Amino acid sequence: MRSLLSIFKKIKFKKADIPKASPPDGTSFKERYDCFQKLLADNNSILETMADMEEKLSGDYMFDMHYVNSKCDILVEKVQSVIENLDSLSNGEYGGLYDEFEKINAVIKDTLAQKIEIPVTDFTIPFEDVTKDMVRSVGGKNANLGEIKSRLNLPVPEGFCISAHAFKRFMDYNELGDKISVASLDPVSMAELTRVSKEAQNLVLKARVPSDLEKSISDAASELERKAGHRTSGFYASVRSSAIHEDAQFTFAGQYKTILNVAPEDVVSAYVEIIASLFTTRAIFYCKSKGFREEDMVMAVGVVEMIDAKASGVMYSRDPTDERKQGVIINGVWGLGKYAVDGIVEPHTYVVSRDVPGTILEKNQPVQQDMLICSLDAGVIDTRVPDYIKRMPCLTEEQVITLAEYALVLEKHYGKPQDIEWALDLNDNLLILQARPLRIVAEKRSKSIPRSLPGHKILIDKGQIACKGVGAGKVYFVTKDEELKSFPEGAVLVAKHTSPKFVTVMDKASAIITDVGSLTGHMASLAREYRVPTILNVETAMKTLKPGQEITVDAINRSIYDGRIEQLIEAGKAENPFEDTPVFEALRAVLKSIVPLNLLYPEDKERFSPKYCETFHDITRFAHEVAMNEMFKIGEGAHRKGEAMKLHVQLPLDIRVIDLGGGVENGSGKITVDNITCIPMKALLKGMMSIEWPGPPPVNVKGLISIIATTTMLPNPEKAFSEPSFAVVSREYMNFSIRLGYHLQTLEAYAGDSINDNYIRFLFRGGGASHDRRARRTQLIKKILEKIDFHVDATGDVLDGRVTKYDRITIEKKLDIMAKLTVFTKQLDMTLFSDDVVNWYVKEFIKKHYAEETKPDT
C-alpha cells in the first residue's frame, strides 16, 4: 500500500464531482433522531389502529359510533404528529403534507358529522297525505301505511302521524338533548345500560308537551274521531311508534312501545310514553349494536283508529327461511294480533300458492284457548275464546286468499318480500295495519371449520392470519415486481416478503401467503380491505410450495392443504350479520379516506409526493419512506461534529462513534467493542471481526493502470486511505459511513422490537478503478444483496439497496452477512476484469458466508 501511495503522491490530481456532506441545519443528531423515533412510534400506532378498524368489518365484533369516532380522533392526532416530526426532521421540506392532511381530515369530519336532517313539517299529518318517501318526516311505519292508503288503495285504518319535527320540538322545549346522552355508553355493560335507560325515561316522562304541539295533537285526534265514526260508536285509538329507521332496512321489531285502545283525551300522554320507549334498555342496546348514532334516535308516532279485531295476525309474502319456496304464509289468531306477534298462542297457519292463484296449499288450525280483546273503557283485556269458535278457523278460505293477494300486491309495489300485519274487524273487513321489508335468512353455512380434515394432506400449518377466510387456487410465485403483470385470475400469491404493490392483483388473488410480514403492515392492511384470505410469516412457503400446485388456504386455522377442498371453501364463506348496519356504513365510509394506499412506488419521484396523498395511509407511507431517507443523511455531516468517540477495535478502520443515546455504555473519549450497546452496530462489528481481512488482491497491470488513471481525477488521494469512518448510533439505530480507500459506503439499520420499524439500507459509491471495473464491483454487490432479499437499484458505480420489516434477529443476521460482504469486496474492483470473474466471486461469497447463515439452528 505504501508503494502505491508513493506513486499517487507524484501524480498531479484534478478535481472532480464527489459526494459532499449536506450543510448542517443547526439541528443536533439527537434532536433529529428523537423526531425519527417519535415518527416511528406514531406510524406503528396508526397502522395498529387501522388494522383494528379493518378487523371490525369482519363481523366478529360489536362496536358503535363512539368506537368509530374515537379511533378517527386517534388517527387524526397521530397523523398530524407524524407530519410535524417529519417537518422537523426534514427542515420543513415537506410542508405540503399539511394541506393534504387538512383535505383528508375535512372529508372524514364531513362523513362523521352526517346527521339526520329532520324536515320542517306540520306537527301532525293525516295518512292520506303521506307517502313512502316521507320516512324522515314521519318514520318508516307511518310512511308505509300512508303509501298503502294513498297510492295502493288497499284497506288501511284511518290515522295521522305525529311528525319527527314534533319530536324535535318536544326535545328542544325540554332541553332533553343536553340532558340525555348515550353516545359513549358501552352496550355490553348491562348495569350501565339500565342506569342510563332509567334516567332517560324518567326525564321524558316528567317533561311537558309544548302547548302548540299539544293543541295540534288534540285537534288531529278529534278529526280522526270524526273520520272513523262510521266504523264504531265509541272511538279509541292505537298509539304506535314510528321511529325514522323503523320498518325500513331495520325492523326494530318489538323495541318500542305500542299502546292499544287509547281514549281521545289520553292520546297526548300516550305520545309521551312512546317517546320514553325510545330509551328502554332493549331499544338503546338495539341502536348501539346496529351502530346508529345518537342523532339517529328520532321518534315519530302514529295515531291509528283502534280496530276491535275479530281476528288478526301476520303474513309473509315469502317463506323467510327459503326464498325458493313459492308460498304466502299467513298466521292468525282470534282477537287482537299482539298474541300472534308475541307468540303467546299458537296461531292458525295457512300457506297460499304464489304460482296458482287462489290455491291454499297448507292449513293448520289448532284450538285456541285465550285471546286479547279491547276493553269497553279503554285498554285491553285477556279472556277465554268462546267455545263456539275456539275450534273454528279464524279466517274463511276467501279471506285467506284475499290476504294472500294483498301480500303479493305489496311485494310487487315495494320490490321485495314483505312482513305484514293485518286485522279482521267485527264487520268482516280486512285491513292492513303494518308492512315492512321481510328479511330472508340465507342458507346457513357452518362457521366451525375443523383444524384438520382426514384424508387431506396439510402442507403447512403455521403463520399469522392477516385476513380470515378460505381461498383456493394454483400457486404463483412473485419474486419481482414484473411478475405481477402476468398474475393469473384466482391464483394464490406466494412471496418471500409482503409488498404494498401486491394491491394491483388483490382483486384476482384467491389468497396470499408470505414467508415474512407484519400483521399491521401496509400489505396486511390492504389484504383486509380487499378481503383476501392471507397468512403471513409462514417461513417455508417458498421452499415447500411449487409453482402451479393447486392448494387450499385455510386462513382461519392457519392450514395450507394440498389440492382444492370444496368443503372448506364453502364453509369459509361466513356471513357478516352487521354488513348493512349504519355503523358499518360509517366505518366503511371513513376507511375510504384512511386505508387505501395510492403511493406504491417510491422510485416514481413525480407521483410519490405530498400532492398525491389521498388518504392517511398515503401520508404515513410517504412520511415513513422520507424519514428513512432523511435519517440516511445523518452520517454525511458526522465528521463536522465534535462529539465523536474513537472506537478501539482490531480492524483496519479508524472508527469514530457518535452516541444519540443508548448506543454506547460508559462512553468517554475512547471506547472498545464492549462499550457498544447499539444492536445493529454490535451485529455488524461481530461480522467484521469474524472474518479475516484480506491484503491487497493480486492485480494485473491493466487493473493497476486503471486505478492510477482514474485516481488522477480525485483530490487528495492519500487522504482517502486515512479518513475516519463515522457511526451515529442509538440502542436500535445505526448510520455507519465506512471509508475503504476510495470506496464510500453507508450502512444504516434499525433493529427494534417492532417489525414495522426494522430495516437495513446500504448505499455504495465510488472506487479507484476504471468505470467498467467499478460497475462490475457494483453488479457483484447487487447480485449478492438480491440473494439475501434486498431490493436493489444500481446505476453505474452507485448502488442503493434496502430490506425492510424483518424481525430483530433476522436483521442482525443480515447485518452479519453485510459485514462479511464489506470485507469480502474490499478492493475487488482491481481484479474484476470480466463478467465471469464477477459471477465466480458471487458464488464464492454465497457458498462461504450466506449458506452457513441459512443453515437451520441445531
Side-chain angles (χ1 to χ4, degrees):
M1 185 66 72
R2 289 180 181 175
S3 60
L4 193 61
L5 277 175
S6 64
I7 296 173
F8 289 151
K9 290 179 180 178
K10 297 177 181 180
I11 299 175
K12 185 176 182 181
F13 295 94
K14 299 178 182 179
K15 290 187 176 181
D17 292 333
I18 62 171
K20 297 180 180 179
S22 301
D25 59 6
T27 306
S28 71
F29 287 143
K30 182 67 167 63
E31 289 171 329
R32 295 183 71 186
Y33 180 70
D34 287 345
C35 289
F36 183 58
Q37 285 282 73
K38 291 174 185 175
L39 187 148
L40 291 180
D42 288 334
N43 180 69
N44 283 330
S45 177
I46 290 165
L47 292 175
E48 288 167 4
T49 302
M50 285 167 49
D52 186 73
M53 295 174 77
E54 289 175 282
E55 191 175 31
K56 294 298 183 289
L57 291 180
S58 68
D60 294 335
Y61 307 90
M62 188 172 74
F63 61 98
D64 57 14
M65 281 307 302
H66 179 66
Y67 167 86
V68 178
N69 284 310
S70 62
K71 291 300 180 183
C72 286
D73 288 343
I74 290 171
L75 287 174
V76 167
E77 177 188 348
K78 295 297 183 182
V79 172
Q80 197 164 15
S81 178
V82 162
I83 297 172
E84 290 168 354
N85 282 298
L86 180 63
D87 200 41
S88 299
L89 192 59
S90 66
N91 200 27
E93 186 174 346
Y94 302 101
L97 278 178
Y98 286 106
D99 295 334
E100 303 312 315
F101 167 80
E102 290 299 337
K103 292 176 186 176
I104 298 166
N105 192 29
V107 173
I108 293 174
K109 282 183 177 178
D110 287 345
T111 302
L112 293 177
Q114 289 180 0
K115 296 182 179 180
I116 296 296
E117 293 294 331
I118 299 176
V120 177
T121 64
D122 292 339
F123 290 149
T124 57
I125 306 170
F127 277 171
E128 53 265 32
D129 295 338
V130 173
T131 66
K132 66 179 180 180
D133 301 321
M134 296 173 64
V135 172
R136 293 290 175 89
S137 297
V138 299
K141 190 178 296 182
N142 285 335
N144 287 335
L145 276 178
E147 176 80 6
I148 296 167
K149 184 176 182 65
S150 63
R151 292 188 176 174
L152 295 182
N153 295 317
L154 293 180
V156 171
E158 297 291 344
F160 67 90
C161 313
I162 306 176
S163 67
H165 181 58
F167 169 82
K168 185 175 185 302
R169 170 71 174 132
F170 174 79
M171 296 292 284
D172 289 348
Y173 180 80
N174 293 282
E175 299 179 343
L176 294 177
D178 298 328
K179 299 173 183 177
I180 299 174
S181 177
V182 299
S184 59
L185 178 65
D186 181 4
V188 177
S189 173
M190 290 306 297
E192 185 182 3
L193 198 61
T194 302
R195 177 186 60 80
V196 172
S197 168
K198 186 176 181 180
E199 292 175 356
Q201 289 186 81
N202 285 338
L203 285 170
V204 173
L205 293 172
K206 292 176 181 178
R208 290 182 56 196
V209 178
S211 57
D212 53 350
L213 175 56
E214 184 176 12
K215 182 178 187 304
S216 180
I217 295 173
S218 298
D219 290 348
S222 297
E223 176 61 17
L224 176 60
E225 184 177 9
R226 184 191 66 78
K227 287 181 181 178
H230 68 280
R231 204 186 301 275
T232 179
S233 55
F235 170 77
Y236 290 92
S238 169
V239 184
R240 312 183 70 183
S241 65
S242 183
I244 58 170
H245 292 291
E246 190 175 2
D247 285 359
Q249 184 178 358
F250 300 92
T251 66
F252 286 81
Q255 302 307 310
Y256 303 128
K257 194 167 188 176
T258 292
I259 305 177
L260 302 176
N261 214 31
V262 178
E265 63 271 20
D266 295 327
V267 168
V268 173
S269 61
Y271 169 72
V272 175
E273 288 187 55
I274 302 297
I275 298 298
S277 75
L278 189 64
F279 302 104
T280 62
T281 302
R282 66 177 184 273
I284 295 174
F285 180 85
Y286 184 91
C287 283
K288 297 286 282 184
S289 65
K290 295 296 184 182
F292 288 101
R293 298 172 170 89
E294 186 171 339
E295 295 82 2
D296 293 329
M297 297 174 70
V298 177
M299 180 65 78
V301 172
V303 181
V304 188
E305 65 168 308
M306 184 68 205
I307 303 301
D308 191 3
K310 178 192 293 186
S312 49
V314 179
M315 61 179 170
Y316 297 151
S317 64
R318 287 184 182 272
D319 188 326
T321 62
D322 190 346
E323 194 173 10
R324 294 170 295 184
K325 292 183 178 179
Q326 296 298 308
V328 177
I329 299 175
I330 301 172
N331 287 343
V333 296
W334 291 109
L336 299 176
K338 182 174 175 59
Y339 276 9
V341 297
D342 290 351
I344 304 298
V345 299
E346 182 182 358
H348 295 195
T349 302
Y350 308 88
V351 179
V352 182
S353 174
R354 294 171 56 90
D355 296 329
V356 184
T359 302
I360 300 176
L361 302 175
E362 298 178 28
K363 292 182 185 179
N364 180 34
Q365 299 166 169
V367 175
Q368 182 179 337
Q369 301 293 343
D370 301 296
M371 62 190 295
L372 193 69
I373 62 173
C374 293
S375 172
L376 295 176
D377 54 352
V380 294
I381 57 173
D382 178 87
T383 187
R384 301 288 289 179
V385 178
D387 289 339
Y388 71 94
I389 62 170
K390 67 167 53 175
R391 299 181 185 278
M392 294 176 59
C394 64
L395 291 170
T396 65
E397 288 194 357
E398 182 181 359
Q399 290 166 342
V400 168
I401 292 169
T402 299
L403 282 174
E405 291 172 350
Y406 288 170
L408 294 177
V409 170
L410 289 168
E411 181 181 294
K412 181 178 180 181
H413 180 73
Y414 285 103
K416 59 184 67 175
Q418 294 292 299
D419 172 354
I420 306 153
E421 291 184 19
W422 57 269
L424 179 70
D425 71 9
L426 298 178
N427 296 318
D428 286 336
N429 297 308
L430 287 168
L431 298 106
I432 303 298
L433 304 182
Q434 179 175 319
R436 60 191 179 198
L438 175 66
R439 185 176 294 273
I440 303 293
V441 180
E443 182 181 349
K444 296 286 186 182
R445 301 194 186 278
S446 173
K447 293 187 178 181
S448 178
I449 297 179
R451 183 68 183 85
S452 63
L453 288 175
H456 296 281
K457 182 181 179 182
I458 295 180
L459 302 172
I460 300 172
D461 62 350
K462 59 183 177 180
Q464 293 179 297
I465 298 170
C467 182
K468 290 183 179 181
V470 177
K474 293 183 178 180
V475 170
Y476 184 86
F477 280 0
V478 175
T479 59
K480 49 189 175 182
D481 297 342
E482 291 76 15
E483 292 168 340
L484 292 171
K485 297 177 182 177
S486 54
F487 189 89
E489 185 78 28
V492 176
L493 191 159
V494 180
K496 174 76 174 179
H497 201 281
T498 59
S499 169
K501 296 176 184 178
F502 294 169
V503 69
T504 57
V505 298
M506 283 185 181
D507 59 334
K508 299 179 181 179
S510 63
I512 297 174
I513 306 168
T514 69
D515 283 343
V516 180
S518 167
L519 295 182
T520 58
H522 295 304
M523 197 221 72
S525 178
L526 291 167
R528 286 187 291 270
E529 179 188 352
Y530 283 81
R531 301 191 182 187
V532 183
T534 301
I535 306 179
L536 309 180
N537 289 325
V538 173
E539 298 180 0
T540 60
M542 295 290 286
K543 294 180 181 179
T544 305
L545 305 177
K546 306 298 180 186
Q549 179 181 9
E550 189 93 23
I551 63 172
T552 298
V553 180
D554 175 2
I556 295 171
N557 293 308
R558 298 184 306 175
S559 298
I560 300 171
Y561 290 87
D562 187 22
R564 185 179 183 88
I565 306 174
E566 295 296 337
Q567 176 185 347
L568 282 181
I569 297 169
E570 289 299 315
K573 295 177 180 178
E575 291 184 1
N576 181 350
F578 307 111
E579 182 75 25
D580 299 319
T581 59
V583 71
F584 261 68
E585 293 174 3
L587 182 56
R588 271 193 294 263
V590 297
L591 286 180
K592 289 178 182 178
S593 298
I594 293 170
V595 170
L597 188 60
N598 305 290
L599 270 60
L600 298 176
Y601 305 101
E603 59 270 22
D604 185 350
K605 303 303 181 185
E606 170 61 26
R607 291 194 61 84
F608 200 84
S609 65
K611 67 180 180 180
Y612 288 104
C613 289
E614 299 177 21
T615 65
F616 280 172
H617 202 167
D618 285 338
I619 290 178
T620 56
R621 163 81 163 148
F622 176 82
H624 188 266
E625 186 73 23
V626 171
M628 288 194 296
N629 291 336
E630 290 297 322
M631 285 303 293
F632 196 74
K633 300 174 186 176
I634 201 170
E636 296 181 353
H639 67 280
R640 298 175 180 268
K641 306 292 181 180
E643 320 163 7
M645 297 171 280
K646 182 175 178 61
L647 177 65
H648 290 264
V649 61
Q650 295 300 313
L651 294 174
L653 291 172
D654 180 5
I655 302 175
R656 311 295 174 90
V657 180
I658 299 172
D659 183 22
L660 300 175
V664 178
E665 186 179 48
N666 301 323
S668 58
K670 296 179 180 180
I671 55 174
T672 67
V673 175
D674 292 337
N675 296 114
I676 300 296
T677 54
C678 171
I679 294 170
M681 187 72 176
K682 284 176 68 176
L684 190 72
L685 290 173
K686 179 183 176 183
M688 284 183 168
M689 295 170 67
S690 69
I691 184 173
E692 183 179 351
W693 283 62
V699 183
N700 61 23
V701 176
K702 290 183 179 180
L704 179 59
I705 291 174
S706 73
I707 291 177
I708 295 173
T710 305
T711 309
T712 60
M713 301 298 293
L714 297 172
N716 305 319
E718 65 278 6
K719 188 177 179 182
F721 289 91
S722 60
E723 282 198 3
S725 299
F726 281 88
V728 181
V729 300
S730 73
R731 183 180 180 277
E732 299 91 358
Y733 175 78
M734 173 192 71
N735 185 301
F736 193 8
S737 297
I738 307 172
R739 296 179 180 273
L740 295 169
Y742 296 107
H743 308 302
L744 305 175
Q745 67 181 51
T746 300
L747 192 59
E748 184 183 49
Y750 196 99
D753 295 330
S754 173
I755 194 172
N756 285 326
D757 297 341
N758 296 343
Y759 68 93
I760 302 172
R761 185 176 178 188
F762 177 74
L763 180 67
F764 171 81
R765 54 192 173 186
S770 61
H771 176 76
D772 60 331
R773 291 170 185 267
R774 297 200 312 272
R776 288 193 188 105
R777 185 177 192 270
T778 303
Q779 285 304 308
L780 181 147
I781 296 172
K782 180 176 185 290
K783 289 182 178 182
I784 293 174
L785 288 179
E786 288 176 338
K787 289 283 187 181
I788 59 175
D789 304 319
F790 273 69
H791 176 79
V792 183
D793 292 317
T795 304
D797 65 345
V798 177
L799 178 145
D800 189 352
R802 68 178 63 197
V803 65
T804 62
K805 296 185 180 178
Y806 280 87
D807 61 75
R808 180 176 60 80
I809 293 174
T810 305
I811 291 288
E812 291 180 80
K813 288 181 178 180
K814 290 188 182 296
L815 285 168
D816 182 82
I817 298 172
M818 292 298 297
K820 294 169 181 175
L821 178 62
T822 297
V823 178
F824 181 80
T825 58
K826 179 177 178 285
Q827 297 180 347
L828 270 188
D829 48 6
M830 289 186 285
T831 69
L832 301 178
F833 52 86
S834 73
D835 292 340
D836 289 339
V837 175
V838 169
N839 293 331
W840 183 85
Y841 272 117
V842 171
K843 291 178 182 177
E844 278 295 296
F845 181 85
I846 296 299
K847 182 172 65 175
K848 288 183 179 180
H849 304 296
Y850 182 53
E852 64 186 42
E853 291 294 338
T854 56
K855 289 179 182 177
D857 295 334
T858 57

